[in-house]
Amino acid sequence: MANPNYTLYHPKWYRQVVSVWWWLESWRFAKFVLRELTSLFVALFAVVCLWQLRALVHGPAGYAQFLERLRSPTFLVLNALTFAAVLFHALTWFHLAPKAMTVRIGGRRVPDSMIVALNYAAWLVASGAVAWVLLRG
Amino acid sequence: MRRGLTPFLWTLFSAGGTVAALLFPVHLFLTGLAFPLGWVQAPSYDSLLALVRHPLVRLYFFVLISLPLFHGAHRFRYTLYDGLKIKHLTLLIVTVCYGAAVIGTIVAAVTLWNIP
């Protein structure tokens, strides 16, 4: 043999090449990637919350400026987009909850629909409590 | 990436995802849309400050900011792996993603600590 490194079936030759755009092939894949991309919007809103707190530390003028900035068209559009993404995250998260964790009570598996319903109930209660505390003042 | 840290990061991911799912929509709807558009009156500086001064509310805001940051960092890390197929850049991606979450957490802690 001329080439001592020669092997007949090198694993490298059988590697399938997947395009970077593999997730555009079907709606299911696209939905998966969109769901994963909500992570950016979740992080973005966490930063907005942080910004609000920092504005509060800077006194009444800082807080007024924060409220004013949020009224700009840029932030309104961005916040509307973020809201859609966060909502998508919340809904997919609730529906994945029973798949991520099975709950058993008395040896019987709690039905998936029950866990999803409990998530929605917790969501409703939490949202109501937050709105009540924030709007009371 | 040390293997010992991975379960901890997945725990932060799922805790942060739950916090974001339960609490972000209402906060974002009020702060980002209802207040700026004048649908609802935004809380005044004094009332919001009085609220945030309470230790439990400070803890609440710390959790509200920090955990979703780690959730986002973790999920975005895997989005980069799968979406762009750049798993070989692990060290860079991990540093940037979790580094941002750690910085955000520190800034949140310092800010909440310094609220007058």
Side-chain angles (χ1 to χ4, degrees):
Chain A
M1 279 289 175
N3 183 359
N5 293 325
Y6 179 83
T7 54
L8 195 52
Y9 299 110
H10 195 285
K12 204 161 71 181
W13 298 342
Y14 290 93
R15 236 172 244 170
Q16 212 183 348
V17 179
V18 181
S19 152
V20 168
W21 305 104
W22 59 269
W23 47 279
L24 285 177
E25 277 165 25
S26 91
W27 169 236
R28 269 181 58 223
F29 296 162
K31 205 176 128 192
F32 163 75
V33 169
L34 283 179
R35 194 190 75 203
E36 297 304 295
L37 282 177
T38 61
S39 57
L40 280 181
F41 292 96
V42 165
L44 180 70
F45 185 64
V47 171
V48 171
C49 288
L50 190 53
W51 177 29
Q52 182 179 28
L53 288 178
R54 295 201 59 81
L56 216 55
V57 172
H58 287 130
Y63 181 62
Q65 197 186 33
F66 168 76
L67 290 180
E68 187 58 45
R69 286 264 172 81
L70 287 191
R71 272 194 287 270
S72 70
T74 314
F75 272 103
L76 280 175
V77 170
L78 195 61
N79 278 330
L81 264 175
T82 310
F83 183 64
V86 166
L87 214 55
F88 188 51
H89 161 71
L91 298 180
T92 49
W93 193 261
F94 297 149
H95 285 274
L96 278 175
K99 293 190 182 70
M101 189 175 60
T102 53
V103 183
R104 283 169 205 281
I105 295 176
R108 293 184 73 105
R109 188 176 162 176
V110 177
D112 287 4
S113 56
M114 180 91 96
I115 295 175
V116 174
L118 279 174
N119 272 286
Y120 274 96
W123 188 33
L124 215 66
V125 170
S127 302
V130 168
W132 182 73
V133 170
L134 275 180
L135 300 177
R136 198 176 39 146
Chain B
M1 182 100 252
R2 285 197 302 118
R3 191 156 289 176
L5 216 56
T6 307
F8 176 65
L9 291 170
W10 277 103
T11 307
L12 284 181
F13 162 77
S14 83
T18 306
V19 168
L22 289 176
L23 298 168
F24 270 21
V26 62
H27 275 283
L28 181 49
F29 179 75
L30 289 172
T31 310
L33 297 170
F35 297 157
L37 290 170
W39 296 341
V40 193
Q41 177 74 45
S44 70
Y45 173 76
D46 292 321
S47 62
L48 196 59
L49 187 64
L51 196 66
V52 175
R53 273 206 182 117
H54 195 285
L56 278 180
V57 179
R58 286 186 208 216
L59 188 66
Y60 170 83
F61 269 102
F62 181 71
V63 169
L64 188 74
I65 292 167
S66 178
L67 285 182
L69 279 180
F70 278 98
H71 163 85
H74 192 69
R75 192 171 233 183
F76 191 59
R77 167 192 171 189
Y78 286 100
T79 311
L80 288 178
Y81 285 179
D82 295 336
L84 298 179
K85 306 198 304 147
I86 45 175
K87 201 157 181 195
H88 55 285
L89 296 175
T90 295
L91 193 63
L92 177 73
I93 293 172
V94 162
T95 311
V96 171
C97 288
Y98 299 119
V102 167
I103 290 171
T105 300
I106 293 171
V107 175
V110 171
T111 307
L112 286 163
W113 190 265
N114 286 333
I115 280 172

